[in-house]
Amino acid sequence: MTHASSTSPDAPSTSTVDFFAHEALPAPRVTAGQAQRAAADRFGVTARAEPLGSQQDANFLLRHADGTPLAVLKAANAAFGAAELDAQDTAADLIAATRADLRVATVLRDSHGNRRTTTLDTPDGPVTARLLRHLPGGTLSGRRHLSPSTVAAMGRVAGRVGTALRAFRHPGLDRVLQWDPQYADRVVALLAPHVPDPERRRAVEEATREAWADVQEVAGRLPRQAVHLDLTDDNLVRAPGHPVPLPDGIIDFGDLTTSWAVAELAVTLSSLLHHDGMEPHHVLPAVRAFHEVRPLSAEEAAALWPLVVLRAAVLVVSGRQQAAVDPGNAYALAALDREWRIFEQATALPSAVMTGLVKAALGLADTSAPAPCPAPAGPLVAYPDTPGTVLLDLSPEADAMDHGAWLEEGAEDRLAAALLAAGAPAVATPYGLPRLSRTPVLAAVSPATVPTGTDLWLADPAVLRAPCDAETLRAVPGRLELACGSHVLRLVLPGTVRPAPAPGSQVRAGDLLAALPAGARIHLSLTRTGAPEVPALVRPEYAAGWLALTADPAPLLGPAAPDGDGGPNPLAAGPDGGRDLLARRGAAFAEVQEHYYDAPPRIERGWRHHLVSTDGRAYLDMVNNVTPLGHAHPGVERAVARQLRRLNTNSRFHYASVVEFAERLAALLPDPLDTVFLVNSGSEAVDLALRLATGAAGRPDVVALREAYHGWTYASDAVSTSLQDNPNALDSRPDWVHTVDSPNPYRGRHRGAASAAYAPEAVRVIDGLAAAGRAPAAFLSETYYGNAGGVALPDGYLAQVYAAVRRHGGLAVADEIQVGYGRLGHWFWGFEQQGVVPDVVCVAKAMGNGHPLGAVITSKAVAARYRDQGYFFSSTGGSPVSSVAGLTVLNALRDEDLQGNAVRTGSRLKDGMRALAARHPAIGAVHGSGLYLGLELVRDRDTLEPATEATAELCDRMLELGVVVQPTGDHLNILKIKPPLCIDAPAADFFLDTLDRALAELGNRED
């Protein structure tokens, strides 16, 4: 049976498919040999045919004898008529003609412009075969995790296709397809019996009923148009040669029809959900990108996620049916697990939550201000004496969370009890404000930290009274639910408390609800009537969707008392109001002061080797060598606060701490390095070191390594040659700066044992400068190649180069800013690894554990030559506070054995990464020592082609999994691993597990 529509006598036949007339559409039984013969006999093409997967068609890739792709031979399902195939080819041509930014698998034509089609005989009757353009690049099929940029690109392509087809009309679009969500309820009802597992079958049927009902509420207001309806990961082709998958090609117009326009996006979103690590919230970049190209209406936004659910349900039942009727279809059989994964993810959250999330992402709903609480006739809690509720702020920015208090067992009850003991009649937590007290560390999945209600602690016995007229929905020991107008009030009580009302009874405002004992803790929430049950705490990624279903119950608590700081009680505080903070940063903060990540979390707290965002997510910090002791070190905090209470001035005044600190620094260095200058940063330290060297030598020339970074001041920038920090670094150097080759034994000009050649080459440069009358005043380098990813210099390199520069009256300047202070583990200073003693040492970063502090240490003889240039003074370099901070850091490094920990935990990390290299070919090398490590990623281990884009993608995925790590090196293909020195074994193992997972997820290309 076919579905017919009228057309002119010269037009293709308008017989179109009606799925329900067939109920099963097995793929045509065409063999590779038959396709190969057809290509030769019908199209004059000599090629090898390779089967390609398809649910209902038979597709073959035709290759030349040398293996290069030639075309795709597509044998359409016998149920599809000529009008439908003509519509598909015409639509493909239209998109190709109007969207130059998209590649399209159009039908190939002969020299006369005729489409290259033929008829093939199969055991089930004749089918139409066409030659289609092959799009190189490969599809997005497989399990590989898809980054936000890939997801957004998929949504953008769907939007572009939708706009291109908006006005397309054709008789061949009048089809009844099982994939068209307009018929999803019928398809599921028809095919659900093919799902063998009764529990899964019931889940699919129930989800279909709910989603269909949601769609029907807005179906009459959903625009309809021609849609491709299969812009999935299987049919979107990635741009050739791009290391990160970004689709720009579309294939397979077999499901082209007229349907709801928003279904185009729903189909794309559903295909994301089976990929490794993908959750529902990961689709939002695609939604935003689609909306930018083809704006969604509020009704379409409301229908979108229910349509995703319907698509998932249809995939499950259709896959099971196809496997039954077409048991030889390997493509259909292989897809069964993938289709169930899509369904699980599509139904992991109520559609109402995802709809709220989508609307919030598109600015179609103000979910930051949920429906207000109904005005109470009286307070819920009847206090025996003084009214008032004190706020208990448990957010990441709350003072109560200091010193790691958020990690203590029972922190909430302990803090509430302290406020009650101080005289508060009641203590309440704010609605919608993330709770750090619910945040674990080392978690790959974000915790549920956003409260959808309020917790209340009572000092004395109290009674609960109905805040309004209501119906009792549920009343059991420990729980009471009331229907209050448009909301449901839910109360979780101590388990022994019996509510006063009976289930089903009516209560009047002021009626007794329950009597509570002293010290009782209750939870109250307000949910919109008819909404799904809302958890007490939800994950931040989904908070906008959940909170849209709730209201702030704070008004039910009556008058508010001042909070613990004496200010007004912000009990009605909603979700974080700093959404525009990044935009404000961009407007006021110089753009060249960049930030990590395109969409960075807002970090407002740190503790040891963890960073905490304002939504209550704890991240393992693998980049902060600025804080060797760990974030918020109590000893540093106490010492700095104590000194600030006493004195902070400049170092011209006479006080003890600057003397003690200078003595301690000098004692850490070998003779003759005994004289200290104190400054505020590494840039200043390098700048000062160069002034010392040029002043002592009486000439300006300096030799520095390429691919190095030393600072931002004029002099330190002049000797910085990192192309990532300055793409014009080598072309913009002043003439007094001379560079020598980066002595990188892994990817430099001389590799492995041949890297011994670097030192003689550098010596020849120095000797050549001297012979030309420009003997260098200094040779400057990092003593362990930090900016290149923790690469050790070749053995003996510094000994030879230092000797050369000294032979001509110059000084050896060691930049220890990144690698010094015990970070290398086996050596306190990087120059110790080379067995040399420099003339000048620059230190910073680690010295103050985040306090701005730097130093230059040299000999008295070199320091004295500075007098020839005037006097030296730094307003806050060596101030009492800076000196105390520096002393405290040195004490903690010693007392907490952090250099020893760098050896132990650094070895654990390095050994673990080397083990991962055996499983992940993208790992080219593991560099470094102690807790200054580098993981270099390559596209090819033989050519060492840097995997720059893949490294950025890996960093983004690691952030999602709870790890902050960033790239370094001139190619930005090395993970710089330089965490606080207090990092422990569990954290190291978490990093390794997360790295393993992320590399696997981003490396998967096929199921």
Side-chain angles (χ1 to χ4, degrees):
M1 178 177 176
T2 60
H3 196 78
S5 59
S6 61
T7 185
S8 64
D10 297 328
S13 167
T14 56
S15 295
T16 56
V17 69
D18 182 341
F19 169 74
F20 298 102
H22 296 270
E23 295 189 4
L25 296 172
R29 287 186 283 174
V30 179
T31 66
Q34 188 179 5
Q36 198 162 298
R37 290 191 296 274
D41 298 343
R42 311 291 178 85
F43 301 122
V45 173
T46 301
R48 183 176 74 252
E50 297 178 1
L52 299 173
S54 179
Q55 188 90 357
Q56 296 174 339
D57 300 318
N59 300 322
F60 299 88
L61 175 61
L62 301 181
R63 292 185 181 273
H64 288 293
D66 63 2
T68 58
L70 169 66
V72 172
L73 187 146
K74 185 179 187 69
N77 195 287
F80 301 159
E84 294 165 281
L85 302 184
D86 183 73
Q88 294 167 28
D89 294 341
T90 304
D93 288 340
L94 171 65
I95 296 171
T98 57
R99 297 298 319 199
D101 48 6
L102 294 178
R103 296 181 297 142
V104 185
T106 52
V107 66
L108 297 179
R109 299 175 183 272
D110 61 21
S111 58
H112 302 291
N114 299 315
R115 297 172 185 170
R116 305 190 74 180
T117 67
T118 189
T119 300
L120 300 180
D121 292 324
T122 75
D124 305 306
V127 296
T128 299
R130 295 168 289 161
L131 277 187
L132 302 178
R133 175 189 176 196
H134 172 262
L135 304 183
T139 67
L140 300 174
S141 300
R143 305 195 322 266
R144 186 192 195 279
H145 181 81
L146 301 178
S147 67
S149 60
T150 302
V151 173
M154 294 174 71
R156 197 171 297 115
V157 169
R160 289 168 178 168
V161 171
T163 57
L165 294 178
R166 179 175 286 164
F168 181 62
R169 305 288 185 272
H170 194 286
L173 298 177
D174 187 13
R175 317 170 75 191
V176 179
L177 298 179
Q178 75 186 97
W179 310 114
D180 187 343
Q182 294 178 117
Y183 310 109
D185 62 330
R186 294 174 60 192
V187 172
V188 172
L190 178 67
L191 303 184
H194 289 281
V195 179
D197 186 306
E199 188 172 330
R200 288 189 172 188
R201 183 168 62 249
R202 283 192 296 271
V204 169
E205 291 171 335
E206 179 61 28
T208 300
R209 280 192 294 271
E210 293 179 2
W212 185 255
D214 290 339
V215 171
Q216 290 309 298
E217 290 185 10
V218 294
R221 301 189 297 281
L222 298 179
R224 299 172 73 251
Q225 66 166 72
V227 288
H228 181 285
L229 208 59
D230 203 12
L231 295 173
T232 66
D233 53 345
D234 286 338
N235 294 325
L236 291 175
V237 181
R238 44 192 287 173
H242 202 286
V244 174
L246 293 176
D248 70 344
I250 56 175
I251 62 176
D252 195 354
F253 283 73
D255 294 340
L256 186 79
T257 190
T258 298
S259 186
W260 295 312
V262 68
E264 195 80 276
L265 177 59
V267 168
T268 301
L269 300 188
S270 67
S271 74
L272 299 170
L273 298 178
H274 73 89
H275 285 264
D276 281 351
M278 300 297 281
E279 295 184 35
H281 73 86
H282 285 117
V283 308
L284 292 179
V287 175
R288 295 188 190 98
F290 183 97
H291 185 67
E292 290 172 1
V293 176
R294 191 276 189 194
L296 294 165
S297 67
E299 291 79 12
E300 288 178 311
L304 180 58
W305 201 258
L307 287 172
V308 171
V309 174
L310 290 175
R311 170 74 175 188
V314 168
L315 285 172
V316 170
V317 298
S318 298
R320 284 296 176 182
Q321 186 236 17
Q322 196 73 18
V325 303
D326 194 6
N329 190 329
Y331 175 86
L333 291 171
L336 295 177
D337 289 341
R338 178 175 74 225
E339 289 158 352
W340 183 251
R341 164 76 176 166
I342 291 172
F343 178 79
E344 284 183 317
Q345 288 297 307
T347 56
L349 291 140
S351 286
V353 174
M354 287 305 299
T355 296
L357 201 61
V358 166
K359 288 184 175 181
L362 301 182
L364 296 176
D366 183 11
T367 54
S368 65
C373 170
L380 175 68
V381 182
Y383 298 102
D385 296 309
T386 306
T389 301
V390 172
L391 173 71
L392 174 56
D393 185 356
L394 299 168
S395 73
E397 296 180 78
D399 290 346
M401 298 292 101
D402 288 351
H403 305 132
W406 50 285
L407 293 170
E408 297 173 8
E409 188 76 23
E412 294 180 0
D413 287 329
R414 178 179 54 79
L415 292 169
L419 290 173
L420 295 175
V427 174
T429 56
Y431 159 89
L433 190 64
R435 295 187 189 177
L436 184 56
S437 52
R438 298 303 180 99
T439 300
V441 296
L442 308 180
V445 176
S446 64
T449 58
V450 181
T452 58
T454 292
D455 285 310
L456 181 70
W457 290 261
L458 299 169
D460 301 314
V463 295
L464 302 182
R465 298 194 179 277
C468 58
D469 294 347
E471 177 187 357
T472 306
L473 301 177
R474 184 181 181 191
V476 296
R479 193 173 183 97
L480 176 63
E481 296 181 7
L482 302 175
C484 300
S486 60
H487 290 78
V488 174
L489 171 62
R490 290 184 169 88
L491 299 169
V492 178
L493 312 170
T496 57
V497 173
R498 288 182 171 273
S505 65
Q506 299 292 321
V507 296
R508 307 282 294 178
D511 283 357
L512 176 67
L513 297 180
L516 302 174
R521 176 178 180 174
I522 67 172
H523 177 79
L524 58 152
S525 63
L526 280 169
T527 305
R528 290 180 181 176
T529 301
E533 185 168 350
V534 178
L537 291 142
V538 296
R539 292 173 58 197
E541 295 91 336
Y542 301 105
W546 284 112
L547 292 178
L549 306 177
T550 67
D552 186 353
L556 302 181
L557 299 180
D563 65 17
D565 295 324
N569 183 351
L571 260 180
D576 176 38
R579 296 175 183 173
D580 66 342
L581 187 65
L582 195 60
R584 287 166 49 201
R585 173 182 173 130
F589 203 49
E591 187 179 0
V592 294
Q593 299 178 86
E594 298 176 350
H595 54 76
Y596 294 143
Y597 306 107
D598 291 334
R602 180 179 167 190
I603 303 296
E604 297 286 358
R605 180 177 290 278
W607 177 245
R608 292 183 56 77
H609 43 282
H610 307 287
L611 294 168
V612 180
S613 67
T614 50
D615 61 11
R617 180 82 189 269
Y619 296 91
L620 174 61
D621 180 4
M622 297 300 291
V623 300
N624 251 305
N625 58 344
V626 175
T627 51
L629 312 186
H631 299 284
H633 189 276
V636 175
E637 177 210 352
R638 287 191 299 267
V640 168
R642 178 174 178 268
Q643 187 60 50
L644 279 171
R645 290 196 303 269
R646 293 182 170 190
L647 172 70
N648 197 28
T649 184
N650 66 67
S651 56
R652 288 179 174 178
F653 288 92
H654 183 46
Y655 48 88
S657 58
V658 70
V659 178
E660 294 170 7
F661 184 42
E663 289 175 339
R664 289 282 297 279
L665 272 179
L668 292 168
L669 288 145
D671 291 334
L673 303 175
D674 59 2
T675 304
V676 176
F677 293 81
L678 292 174
V679 291
N680 302 299
S681 68
S683 295
E684 292 174 278
V686 171
D687 196 290
L688 174 58
L690 293 176
R691 288 192 64 181
L692 285 168
T694 55
R699 50 186 183 267
D701 293 272
V702 173
V703 175
L705 294 184
R706 298 186 195 118
E707 297 185 29
Y709 175 78
H710 297 288
W712 57 264
T713 65
Y714 175 76
S716 61
D717 175 68
V719 293
S720 294
T721 51
S722 167
L723 298 181
Q724 283 303 325
D725 295 292
N726 178 1
N728 301 312
L730 295 178
D731 300 324
S732 60
R733 300 302 91 199
D735 63 1
W736 54 269
V737 175
H738 312 275
T739 62
V740 294
D741 207 359
S742 165
N744 188 325
Y746 175 70
R747 71 161 49 254
R749 286 191 306 111
H750 307 301
R751 300 177 180 177
S755 64
Y758 284 119
E761 288 180 353
V763 168
R764 285 194 291 273
V765 170
I766 293 169
D767 290 342
L769 287 170
R774 303 191 67 174
F779 170 79
L780 167 71
S781 76
E782 289 185 286
T783 54
Y784 205 97
Y785 219 171
N787 199 65
V791 178
L793 301 178
D795 289 344
Y797 180 86
L798 288 184
Q800 295 180 60
V801 178
Y802 281 11
V805 74
R806 286 167 173 161
R807 188 166 61 247
H808 298 293
L811 300 182
V813 179
D815 181 343
E816 293 277 355
I817 292 165
Q818 290 208 77
V819 301
Y821 251 56
R823 178 161 291 277
L824 294 174
H826 298 286
W827 311 279
F828 193 85
W829 303 109
F831 63 76
E832 294 173 321
Q833 186 266 341
Q834 287 278 306
V836 296
V837 176
D839 301 302
V840 183
V841 175
C842 306
V843 198
K845 287 198 187 298
M847 292 181 67
N849 206 56
H851 183 87
L853 186 55
V856 175
I857 306 101
T858 187
S859 65
K860 279 188 171 55
V862 171
R865 295 298 304 273
Y866 194 95
R867 284 288 184 187
D868 299 340
Q869 305 175 60
Y871 70 93
F872 173 79
F873 173 66
S874 174
S875 293
T876 55
S879 71
V881 167
S882 294
S883 298
V884 164
L887 281 166
T888 306
V889 169
L890 288 177
N891 291 338
L893 286 173
R894 178 197 62 209
D895 298 343
E896 298 172 24
D897 188 26
L898 294 182
Q899 185 178 352
N901 188 58
V903 174
R904 294 184 295 273
T905 308
S907 297
R908 190 183 191 97
L909 283 167
K910 192 169 186 178
D911 291 345
M913 287 189 288
R914 284 173 169 165
L916 292 181
R919 297 201 297 275
H920 299 290
I923 298 177
V926 180
H927 306 299
S929 174
L931 285 172
Y932 202 110
L933 303 172
L935 184 79
E936 183 148 2
L937 300 176
V938 296
R939 299 186 70 186
D940 186 295
R941 284 184 174 177
D942 294 325
T943 66
L944 302 189
E945 180 183 358
T948 302
E949 295 85 355
T951 304
E953 191 180 23
L954 178 64
C955 290
D956 286 340
R957 182 58 181 148
M958 294 281 281
L959 182 70
E960 289 185 325
L961 296 174
V963 176
V964 173
V965 67
Q966 284 288 297
T968 190
D970 266 12
H971 304 287
L972 290 181
N973 69 312
I974 307 170
L975 294 186
K976 52 184 174 184
I977 300 163
K978 45 190 184 71
L981 298 182
C982 60
I983 187 173
D984 54 22
D989 292 344
F990 177 76
F991 171 76
L992 293 169
D993 291 344
T994 305
L995 179 63
D996 187 19
R997 172 180 171 177
L999 286 168
E1001 289 179 343
L1002 295 172
N1004 282 328
R1005 288 290 306 275
E1006 298 176 358
D1007 286 308

